[in-house]
DNA sequence: AATAAAGTTTCATTATAATGAAACTTTATT
DNA sequence: AATAAAGTTTCATTATAATGAAACTTTATT
C-alpha cells in the first residue's frame, strides 16, 4: 500500500505551510469537521436526523444544516447536539513550544 | 521518515487519541472554559490583550470579552484567535459505547 | 414502479455574536 | 505616590447564527 507523510499530502494538495492558502485550508478543515463529526456521531448512534432533532429540540432541517456546515456554529449549539448524543467533547489546544527557534 | 496511510492522515487531522503532547491543554468543551483556554494560551505566549488583538485584528476590549466568556463564541472566532496564537486546536468527540449497558 | 422515509434547501424572523469606542478600573513600574 | 500599562465594562451597531415551515430531492422499502 502506498503511503504518504502528512506533510507530503498536505503540501501537494494545498500548498506549503505558512502560505495563506494552507492556513486557510487548515482553518476551514476544522470547520468542515464539525458537521462531519455531528453526522458521524449521529450515525454511530443509529439515529435519523429527525430523531436527533427530537433529542436536541429542533427540526430535522436544522440538524441537516448543522451537518452540512451551513453556518458557523457556536459552542452552545455544538454542546447541545453532542450532549444529546451523549458524547464527551474535549477541546485540545496545543501550543508548539517556541524554545527551539530561539536556540537557533 | 514516518509515513501514514490515508486513513492515518485522516485520523491525525481529526485527532483520535494518543496524540503527542508538549504544551497541551485539555479542556472539557464547556463555555466557561473557552475563555480560560484563550487566556492561558495568550499568557503562555507572553502577549498582552492588546498584542493579541493586533494579531487577530480586533481591539483589546474584544480579547478581554472573549477571555471572560462574555458571549457564546463561534468556531470561527475561536479559530481566528487560536490561529493567531499559532496553536493547534483539535476537537475530540468520544462516544461512550452503549454495548455494556445492554450486556447487563 | 409506487410509496414512504430520510435528508436538503429556501424563505423569513428573531436573538445574539462580534465588534469599536471610550470611559473606567486594576495592576505594574518608576 | 504618580504615572503608565494592562485589562474591563458599557453602549450602540451590524452581521449572522439559530430556527421553523414547507416545498423539494434523494434514498430506501415494499
Amino acid at each position: 500500500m502506498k503511503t504518504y507523510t502528512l506533510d507530503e499530502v498536505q503540501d501537494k494538495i494545498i500548498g506549503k505551510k505558512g502560505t495563506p492558502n494552507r492556513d486557510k485550508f487548515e482553518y476551514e478543515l476544522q470547520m468542515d469537521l464539525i458537521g462531519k463529526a455531528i453526522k458521524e456521531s449521529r450515525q454511530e448512534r443509529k439515529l435519523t436526523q429527525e430523531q436527533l432533532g427530537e433529542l436536541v429540540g429542533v427540526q430535522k432541517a436544522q440538524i441537516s444544516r448543522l451537518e452540512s456546515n451551513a453556518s458557523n456554529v457556536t459552542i452552545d449549539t455544538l454542546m447541545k447536539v453532542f450532549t444529546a448524543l451523549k458524547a464527551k467533547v474535549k477541546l485540545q489546544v496545543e501550543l508548539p513550544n517556541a524554545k527551539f527557534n530561539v536556540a537557533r
Side-chain angles (χ1 to χ4, degrees), chain A:
Chain A
M1 177 191 272
K2 176 137 178 52
T3 57
Y4 309 82
T5 65
L6 182 58
D7 280 341
E8 273 173 9
V9 173
Q10 293 181 334
D11 287 353
K12 192 143 195 176
I13 298 175
I14 29 171
K16 298 249 170 98
K17 271 181 187 165
T19 61
N21 273 350
R22 175 66 173 271
D23 288 343
K24 190 178 178 186
F25 177 81
E26 290 191 331
Y27 161 80
E28 285 173 348
L29 186 58
Q30 300 278 351
M31 308 267 299
D32 288 349
L33 290 174
I34 300 290
K36 196 174 179 183
I38 294 174
K39 182 171 188 172
E40 286 179 7
S41 299
R42 172 177 64 81
Q43 290 174 332
E44 189 84 3
R45 293 294 196 219
K46 301 203 192 308
L47 297 173
T48 64
Q49 291 184 342
E50 188 162 33
Q51 290 172 322
L52 177 54
E54 279 165 27
L55 292 174
V56 177
V58 299
Q59 296 297 307
K60 63 181 182 175
Q62 177 62 359
I63 300 298
S64 173
R65 283 180 295 236
L66 294 176
E67 288 185 357
S68 64
N69 303 294
S71 75
N72 177 21
V73 291
T74 62
I75 298 299
D76 183 74
T77 297
L78 216 52
M79 288 311 296
K80 280 181 188 163
V81 172
F82 283 120
T83 297
L85 286 167
K86 295 191 193 305
K88 287 183 182 172
V89 181
K90 286 179 182 174
L91 186 72
Q92 181 180 306
V93 178
E94 201 177 316
L95 289 177
N97 202 323
K99 273 176 195 165
F100 300 125
N101 297 339
V102 179
R104 197 175 199 287

